[in-house]
Amino acid sequence: MRAPVVVLDRILTGVNSRAEVQFDYANYVRLAGDAEIRLSELENGRYQIQVARGLVTFSVLRDSDAQVEIATPAISVRPMKRGIYRIEVLPDGTVAVTVRQGEAEIFTPQGSERLKSGRTMMARGSQDNPEVQVVSAERRDTWDEWNEYRNRDLERAHENTYRYVNRDVY
């Protein structure tokens, strides 16, 4: 289904479903089953997404001037460049942010930290003072494989489409 989204929209997926939101020619968010996001800002080149629960992947497929922030109950994530960013809010409130490709800046109440490709940041505890730990990234799973497949499809489409159409049309 193709439908426009606006500020304050909530996007929820059922247990065995997936969804994809395209913000512009470069930025996409995908939701795994039983996930929920809220779109809190959608201005030209500025996107703020709140992940309430579940697993999402944010992909920056092309160089972009967009400012993106992905907020979770414990921390916020800002992709720094092209890449693939996996964010999961577990039922107990634990947040796991994995940078598959690229680099992200992570904001906590204690300050900010850069998270590089191949690393996962775990945040547990209260929103005001979460315990944060950086570990090696979890192994890729079927969700990661599906996202990589979608990204390859979009890259192929981009090569053919944007040769003839302005990149602001998507």
PDB file of all heavy atoms in Angstrom, residues 15-43:
ATOM      1  N   VAL A  15       1.980  -9.002  13.953  1.00  0.00           N
ATOM      2  CA  VAL A  15       2.997  -9.962  14.372  1.00  0.00           C
ATOM      3  C   VAL A  15       3.840 -10.477  13.201  1.00  0.00           C
ATOM      4  O   VAL A  15       5.053 -10.522  13.292  1.00  0.00           O
ATOM      5  CB  VAL A  15       2.346 -11.136  15.137  1.00  0.00           C
ATOM      6  CG1 VAL A  15       3.370 -12.200  15.458  1.00  0.00           C
ATOM      7  CG2 VAL A  15       1.699 -10.622  16.409  1.00  0.00           C
ATOM      8  N   ASN A  16       3.243 -10.859  12.108  1.00  0.00           N
ATOM      9  CA  ASN A  16       4.002 -11.425  10.988  1.00  0.00           C
ATOM     10  C   ASN A  16       4.009 -10.503   9.771  1.00  0.00           C
ATOM     11  O   ASN A  16       3.869 -10.961   8.644  1.00  0.00           O
ATOM     12  CB  ASN A  16       3.431 -12.793  10.606  1.00  0.00           C
ATOM     13  CG  ASN A  16       3.660 -13.808  11.697  1.00  0.00           C
ATOM     14  OD1 ASN A  16       4.757 -13.905  12.228  1.00  0.00           O
ATOM     15  ND2 ASN A  16       2.636 -14.550  12.049  1.00  0.00           N
ATOM     16  N   SER A  17       4.176  -9.214   9.994  1.00  0.00           N
ATOM     17  CA  SER A  17       4.146  -8.270   8.876  1.00  0.00           C
ATOM     18  C   SER A  17       5.374  -7.370   8.905  1.00  0.00           C
ATOM     19  O   SER A  17       6.155  -7.391   9.844  1.00  0.00           O
ATOM     20  CB  SER A  17       2.867  -7.436   8.939  1.00  0.00           C
ATOM     21  OG  SER A  17       2.848  -6.672  10.134  1.00  0.00           O
ATOM     22  N   ARG A  18       5.517  -6.599   7.840  1.00  0.00           N
ATOM     23  CA  ARG A  18       6.617  -5.648   7.724  1.00  0.00           C
ATOM     24  C   ARG A  18       6.078  -4.392   7.058  1.00  0.00           C
ATOM     25  O   ARG A  18       5.098  -4.451   6.321  1.00  0.00           O
ATOM     26  CB  ARG A  18       7.746  -6.218   6.862  1.00  0.00           C
ATOM     27  CG  ARG A  18       8.410  -7.413   7.483  1.00  0.00           C
ATOM     28  CD  ARG A  18       9.431  -8.001   6.563  1.00  0.00           C
ATOM     29  NE  ARG A  18      10.120  -9.096   7.242  1.00  0.00           N
ATOM     30  CZ  ARG A  18      10.820 -10.005   6.632  1.00  0.00           C
ATOM     31  NH1 ARG A  18      10.939  -9.990   5.329  1.00  0.00           N
ATOM     32  NH2 ARG A  18      11.408 -10.951   7.318  1.00  0.00           N
ATOM     33  N   ALA A  19       6.745  -3.280   7.284  1.00  0.00           N
ATOM     34  CA  ALA A  19       6.355  -2.025   6.639  1.00  0.00           C
ATOM     35  C   ALA A  19       7.614  -1.236   6.310  1.00  0.00           C
ATOM     36  O   ALA A  19       8.659  -1.410   6.947  1.00  0.00           O
ATOM     37  CB  ALA A  19       5.445  -1.208   7.553  1.00  0.00           C
ATOM     38  N   GLU A  20       7.478  -0.361   5.303  1.00  0.00           N
ATOM     39  CA  GLU A  20       8.588   0.491   4.886  1.00  0.00           C
ATOM     40  C   GLU A  20       8.061   1.895   4.667  1.00  0.00           C
ATOM     41  O   GLU A  20       7.007   2.071   4.051  1.00  0.00           O
ATOM     42  CB  GLU A  20       9.184  -0.051   3.586  1.00  0.00           C
ATOM     43  CG  GLU A  20      10.298   0.802   3.010  1.00  0.00           C
ATOM     44  CD  GLU A  20      10.867   0.187   1.741  1.00  0.00           C
ATOM     45  OE1 GLU A  20      10.290   0.435   0.663  1.00  0.00           O
ATOM     46  OE2 GLU A  20      11.856  -0.551   1.840  1.00  0.00           O
ATOM     47  N   VAL A  21       8.800   2.885   5.170  1.00  0.00           N
ATOM     48  CA  VAL A  21       8.452   4.288   4.961  1.00  0.00           C
ATOM     49  C   VAL A  21       9.632   4.943   4.255  1.00  0.00           C
ATOM     50  O   VAL A  21      10.768   4.864   4.728  1.00  0.00           O
ATOM     51  CB  VAL A  21       8.164   5.015   6.293  1.00  0.00           C
ATOM     52  CG1 VAL A  21       7.866   6.492   6.040  1.00  0.00           C
ATOM     53  CG2 VAL A  21       7.017   4.345   7.039  1.00  0.00           C
ATOM     54  N   GLN A  22       9.343   5.601   3.125  1.00  0.00           N
ATOM     55  CA  GLN A  22      10.366   6.329   2.376  1.00  0.00           C
ATOM     56  C   GLN A  22      10.197   7.810   2.676  1.00  0.00           C
ATOM     57  O   GLN A  22       9.132   8.375   2.447  1.00  0.00           O
ATOM     58  CB  GLN A  22      10.211   6.064   0.878  1.00  0.00           C
ATOM     59  CG  GLN A  22      11.202   6.809   0.041  1.00  0.00           C
ATOM     60  CD  GLN A  22      11.036   6.540  -1.453  1.00  0.00           C
ATOM     61  OE1 GLN A  22      10.159   5.801  -1.871  1.00  0.00           O
ATOM     62  NE2 GLN A  22      11.879   7.159  -2.245  1.00  0.00           N
ATOM     63  N   PHE A  23      11.244   8.452   3.186  1.00  0.00           N
ATOM     64  CA  PHE A  23      11.180   9.866   3.534  1.00  0.00           C
ATOM     65  C   PHE A  23      11.587  10.758   2.369  1.00  0.00           C
ATOM     66  O   PHE A  23      11.040  11.836   2.196  1.00  0.00           O
ATOM     67  CB  PHE A  23      12.068  10.159   4.738  1.00  0.00           C
ATOM     68  CG  PHE A  23      11.564   9.504   5.987  1.00  0.00           C
ATOM     69  CD1 PHE A  23      12.081   8.289   6.409  1.00  0.00           C
ATOM     70  CD2 PHE A  23      10.550  10.070   6.726  1.00  0.00           C
ATOM     71  CE1 PHE A  23      11.611   7.673   7.545  1.00  0.00           C
ATOM     72  CE2 PHE A  23      10.059   9.462   7.862  1.00  0.00           C
ATOM     73  CZ  PHE A  23      10.598   8.252   8.274  1.00  0.00           C
ATOM     74  N   ASP A  24      12.568  10.334   1.608  1.00  0.00           N
ATOM     75  CA  ASP A  24      13.047  11.069   0.441  1.00  0.00           C
ATOM     76  C   ASP A  24      13.810  10.081  -0.428  1.00  0.00           C
ATOM     77  O   ASP A  24      13.658   8.874  -0.263  1.00  0.00           O
ATOM     78  CB  ASP A  24      13.898  12.282   0.856  1.00  0.00           C
ATOM     79  CG  ASP A  24      15.086  11.904   1.741  1.00  0.00           C
ATOM     80  OD1 ASP A  24      15.566  10.751   1.669  1.00  0.00           O
ATOM     81  OD2 ASP A  24      15.530  12.766   2.513  1.00  0.00           O
ATOM     82  N   TYR A  25      14.650  10.571  -1.314  1.00  0.00           N
ATOM     83  CA  TYR A  25      15.365   9.688  -2.236  1.00  0.00           C
ATOM     84  C   TYR A  25      16.439   8.847  -1.544  1.00  0.00           C
ATOM     85  O   TYR A  25      16.948   7.897  -2.128  1.00  0.00           O
ATOM     86  CB  TYR A  25      16.006  10.502  -3.365  1.00  0.00           C
ATOM     87  CG  TYR A  25      17.151  11.358  -2.893  1.00  0.00           C
ATOM     88  CD1 TYR A  25      18.464  10.928  -3.041  1.00  0.00           C
ATOM     89  CD2 TYR A  25      16.926  12.578  -2.267  1.00  0.00           C
ATOM     90  CE1 TYR A  25      19.516  11.694  -2.582  1.00  0.00           C
ATOM     91  CE2 TYR A  25      17.971  13.349  -1.815  1.00  0.00           C
ATOM     92  CZ  TYR A  25      19.255  12.903  -1.972  1.00  0.00           C
ATOM     93  OH  TYR A  25      20.292  13.657  -1.509  1.00  0.00           O
ATOM     94  N   ALA A  26      16.770   9.151  -0.280  1.00  0.00           N
ATOM     95  CA  ALA A  26      17.893   8.485   0.377  1.00  0.00           C
ATOM     96  C   ALA A  26      17.548   7.787   1.683  1.00  0.00           C
ATOM     97  O   ALA A  26      18.251   6.874   2.088  1.00  0.00           O
ATOM     98  CB  ALA A  26      19.002   9.509   0.642  1.00  0.00           C
ATOM     99  N   ASN A  27      16.501   8.192   2.366  1.00  0.00           N
ATOM    100  CA  ASN A  27      16.238   7.764   3.734  1.00  0.00           C
ATOM    101  C   ASN A  27      14.970   6.923   3.851  1.00  0.00           C
ATOM    102  O   ASN A  27      13.898   7.357   3.429  1.00  0.00           O
ATOM    103  CB  ASN A  27      16.124   8.994   4.640  1.00  0.00           C
ATOM    104  CG  ASN A  27      17.430   9.744   4.725  1.00  0.00           C
ATOM    105  OD1 ASN A  27      18.336   9.338   5.424  1.00  0.00           O
ATOM    106  ND2 ASN A  27      17.533  10.842   3.984  1.00  0.00           N
ATOM    107  N   TYR A  28      15.129   5.743   4.479  1.00  0.00           N
ATOM    108  CA  TYR A  28      14.033   4.780   4.623  1.00  0.00           C
ATOM    109  C   TYR A  28      14.052   4.212   6.033  1.00  0.00           C
ATOM    110  O   TYR A  28      15.113   4.027   6.615  1.00  0.00           O
ATOM    111  CB  TYR A  28      14.231   3.588   3.672  1.00  0.00           C
ATOM    112  CG  TYR A  28      14.236   3.947   2.216  1.00  0.00           C
ATOM    113  CD1 TYR A  28      15.347   4.509   1.613  1.00  0.00           C
ATOM    114  CD2 TYR A  28      13.117   3.706   1.432  1.00  0.00           C
ATOM    115  CE1 TYR A  28      15.350   4.838   0.267  1.00  0.00           C
ATOM    116  CE2 TYR A  28      13.107   4.024   0.080  1.00  0.00           C
ATOM    117  CZ  TYR A  28      14.227   4.591  -0.494  1.00  0.00           C
ATOM    118  OH  TYR A  28      14.222   4.915  -1.823  1.00  0.00           O
ATOM    119  N   VAL A  29      12.876   3.887   6.546  1.00  0.00           N
ATOM    120  CA  VAL A  29      12.783   3.125   7.786  1.00  0.00           C
ATOM    121  C   VAL A  29      11.893   1.921   7.510  1.00  0.00           C
ATOM    122  O   VAL A  29      10.891   2.019   6.802  1.00  0.00           O
ATOM    123  CB  VAL A  29      12.253   3.965   8.972  1.00  0.00           C
ATOM    124  CG1 VAL A  29      10.809   4.373   8.807  1.00  0.00           C
ATOM    125  CG2 VAL A  29      12.466   3.224  10.291  1.00  0.00           C
ATOM    126  N   ARG A  30      12.307   0.777   8.047  1.00  0.00           N
ATOM    127  CA  ARG A  30      11.529  -0.457   7.891  1.00  0.00           C
ATOM    128  C   ARG A  30      11.215  -1.013   9.271  1.00  0.00           C
ATOM    129  O   ARG A  30      12.069  -1.012  10.158  1.00  0.00           O
ATOM    130  CB  ARG A  30      12.306  -1.480   7.083  1.00  0.00           C
ATOM    131  CG  ARG A  30      12.554  -0.997   5.675  1.00  0.00           C
ATOM    132  CD  ARG A  30      13.154  -2.076   4.790  1.00  0.00           C
ATOM    133  NE  ARG A  30      13.576  -1.438   3.553  1.00  0.00           N
ATOM    134  CZ  ARG A  30      14.834  -1.081   3.288  1.00  0.00           C
ATOM    135  NH1 ARG A  30      15.796  -1.356   4.134  1.00  0.00           N
ATOM    136  NH2 ARG A  30      15.122  -0.479   2.152  1.00  0.00           N
ATOM    137  N   LEU A  31       9.982  -1.492   9.417  1.00  0.00           N
ATOM    138  CA  LEU A  31       9.516  -2.048  10.676  1.00  0.00           C
ATOM    139  C   LEU A  31       9.334  -3.546  10.541  1.00  0.00           C
ATOM    140  O   LEU A  31       8.714  -4.004   9.578  1.00  0.00           O
ATOM    141  CB  LEU A  31       8.170  -1.451  11.076  1.00  0.00           C
ATOM    142  CG  LEU A  31       8.113   0.016  11.486  1.00  0.00           C
ATOM    143  CD1 LEU A  31       8.216   0.934  10.292  1.00  0.00           C
ATOM    144  CD2 LEU A  31       6.820   0.281  12.236  1.00  0.00           C
ATOM    145  N   ALA A  32       9.849  -4.291  11.497  1.00  0.00           N
ATOM    146  CA  ALA A  32       9.608  -5.736  11.566  1.00  0.00           C
ATOM    147  C   ALA A  32       8.233  -5.951  12.192  1.00  0.00           C
ATOM    148  O   ALA A  32       7.540  -4.994  12.561  1.00  0.00           O
ATOM    149  CB  ALA A  32      10.696  -6.403  12.390  1.00  0.00           C
ATOM    150  N   GLY A  33       7.840  -7.211  12.336  1.00  0.00           N
ATOM    151  CA  GLY A  33       6.548  -7.531  12.934  1.00  0.00           C
ATOM    152  C   GLY A  33       6.427  -7.052  14.366  1.00  0.00           C
ATOM    153  O   GLY A  33       7.399  -7.040  15.123  1.00  0.00           O
ATOM    154  N   ASP A  34       5.234  -6.614  14.735  1.00  0.00           N
ATOM    155  CA  ASP A  34       4.898  -6.149  16.076  1.00  0.00           C
ATOM    156  C   ASP A  34       5.779  -4.982  16.518  1.00  0.00           C
ATOM    157  O   ASP A  34       6.308  -4.963  17.635  1.00  0.00           O
ATOM    158  CB  ASP A  34       4.986  -7.309  17.086  1.00  0.00           C
ATOM    159  CG  ASP A  34       4.226  -6.993  18.365  1.00  0.00           C
ATOM    160  OD1 ASP A  34       3.270  -6.197  18.316  1.00  0.00           O
ATOM    161  OD2 ASP A  34       4.599  -7.535  19.419  1.00  0.00           O
ATOM    162  N   ALA A  35       5.937  -4.005  15.642  1.00  0.00           N
ATOM    163  CA  ALA A  35       6.720  -2.802  15.946  1.00  0.00           C
ATOM    164  C   ALA A  35       5.818  -1.579  15.853  1.00  0.00           C
ATOM    165  O   ALA A  35       4.758  -1.612  15.220  1.00  0.00           O
ATOM    166  CB  ALA A  35       7.893  -2.670  14.980  1.00  0.00           C
ATOM    167  N   GLU A  36       6.270  -0.486  16.471  1.00  0.00           N
ATOM    168  CA  GLU A  36       5.511   0.765  16.413  1.00  0.00           C
ATOM    169  C   GLU A  36       6.464   1.943  16.382  1.00  0.00           C
ATOM    170  O   GLU A  36       7.399   2.015  17.178  1.00  0.00           O
ATOM    171  CB  GLU A  36       4.597   0.895  17.638  1.00  0.00           C
ATOM    172  CG  GLU A  36       3.836   2.198  17.677  1.00  0.00           C
ATOM    173  CD  GLU A  36       2.972   2.350  18.930  1.00  0.00           C
ATOM    174  OE1 GLU A  36       2.875   1.394  19.722  1.00  0.00           O
ATOM    175  OE2 GLU A  36       2.404   3.441  19.097  1.00  0.00           O
ATOM    176  N   ILE A  37       6.218   2.850  15.445  1.00  0.00           N
ATOM    177  CA  ILE A  37       6.948   4.117  15.408  1.00  0.00           C
ATOM    178  C   ILE A  37       5.947   5.260  15.374  1.00  0.00           C
ATOM    179  O   ILE A  37       4.787   5.085  14.985  1.00  0.00           O
ATOM    180  CB  ILE A  37       7.913   4.225  14.199  1.00  0.00           C
ATOM    181  CG1 ILE A  37       7.148   4.218  12.869  1.00  0.00           C
ATOM    182  CG2 ILE A  37       8.978   3.145  14.263  1.00  0.00           C
ATOM    183  CD1 ILE A  37       8.015   4.566  11.668  1.00  0.00           C
ATOM    184  N   ARG A  38       6.428   6.429  15.772  1.00  0.00           N
ATOM    185  CA  ARG A  38       5.652   7.667  15.669  1.00  0.00           C
ATOM    186  C   ARG A  38       6.516   8.668  14.917  1.00  0.00           C
ATOM    187  O   ARG A  38       7.717   8.765  15.149  1.00  0.00           O
ATOM    188  CB  ARG A  38       5.313   8.202  17.056  1.00  0.00           C
ATOM    189  CG  ARG A  38       4.410   7.285  17.830  1.00  0.00           C
ATOM    190  CD  ARG A  38       4.099   7.844  19.224  1.00  0.00           C
ATOM    191  NE  ARG A  38       3.398   6.829  19.987  1.00  0.00           N
ATOM    192  CZ  ARG A  38       3.910   6.191  21.030  1.00  0.00           C
ATOM    193  NH1 ARG A  38       5.126   6.459  21.446  1.00  0.00           N
ATOM    194  NH2 ARG A  38       3.217   5.277  21.662  1.00  0.00           N
ATOM    195  N   LEU A  39       5.892   9.408  14.027  1.00  0.00           N
ATOM    196  CA  LEU A  39       6.607  10.415  13.245  1.00  0.00           C
ATOM    197  C   LEU A  39       6.388  11.766  13.922  1.00  0.00           C
ATOM    198  O   LEU A  39       5.308  12.336  13.848  1.00  0.00           O
ATOM    199  CB  LEU A  39       6.093  10.418  11.810  1.00  0.00           C
ATOM    200  CG  LEU A  39       6.148   9.041  11.124  1.00  0.00           C
ATOM    201  CD1 LEU A  39       5.493   9.082   9.765  1.00  0.00           C
ATOM    202  CD2 LEU A  39       7.578   8.558  11.026  1.00  0.00           C
ATOM    203  N   SER A  40       7.419  12.266  14.607  1.00  0.00           N
ATOM    204  CA  SER A  40       7.241  13.483  15.381  1.00  0.00           C
ATOM    205  C   SER A  40       7.711  14.745  14.659  1.00  0.00           C
ATOM    206  O   SER A  40       7.351  15.841  15.063  1.00  0.00           O
ATOM    207  CB  SER A  40       7.920  13.363  16.742  1.00  0.00           C
ATOM    208  OG  SER A  40       9.255  12.980  16.596  1.00  0.00           O
ATOM    209  N   GLU A  41       8.487  14.587  13.582  1.00  0.00           N
ATOM    210  CA  GLU A  41       8.876  15.744  12.777  1.00  0.00           C
ATOM    211  C   GLU A  41       9.134  15.280  11.355  1.00  0.00           C
ATOM    212  O   GLU A  41       9.845  14.308  11.127  1.00  0.00           O
ATOM    213  CB  GLU A  41      10.130  16.415  13.345  1.00  0.00           C
ATOM    214  CG  GLU A  41      10.433  17.732  12.673  1.00  0.00           C
ATOM    215  CD  GLU A  41      11.525  18.517  13.376  1.00  0.00           C
ATOM    216  OE1 GLU A  41      11.849  18.217  14.534  1.00  0.00           O
ATOM    217  OE2 GLU A  41      12.051  19.440  12.742  1.00  0.00           O
ATOM    218  N   LEU A  42       8.546  15.995  10.399  1.00  0.00           N
ATOM    219  CA  LEU A  42       8.711  15.672   8.974  1.00  0.00           C
ATOM    220  C   LEU A  42       8.814  16.957   8.175  1.00  0.00           C
ATOM    221  O   LEU A  42       7.980  17.239   7.337  1.00  0.00           O
ATOM    222  CB  LEU A  42       7.512  14.851   8.461  1.00  0.00           C
ATOM    223  CG  LEU A  42       7.350  13.448   8.989  1.00  0.00           C
ATOM    224  CD1 LEU A  42       6.056  12.835   8.468  1.00  0.00           C
ATOM    225  CD2 LEU A  42       8.536  12.589   8.588  1.00  0.00           C
ATOM    226  N   GLU A  43       9.808  17.740   8.450  1.00  0.00           N
ATOM    227  CA  GLU A  43      10.037  18.945   7.672  1.00  0.00           C
ATOM    228  C   GLU A  43      10.971  18.616   6.534  1.00  0.00           C
ATOM    229  O   GLU A  43      11.583  17.557   6.510  1.00  0.00           O
ATOM    230  CB  GLU A  43      10.631  20.040   8.558  1.00  0.00           C
ATOM    231  CG  GLU A  43       9.666  20.529   9.621  1.00  0.00           C
ATOM    232  CD  GLU A  43      10.246  21.664  10.430  1.00  0.00           C
ATOM    233  OE1 GLU A  43      11.254  22.269   9.999  1.00  0.00           O
ATOM    234  OE2 GLU A  43       9.704  21.938  11.499  1.00  0.00           O
TER     235      GLU A  43
END
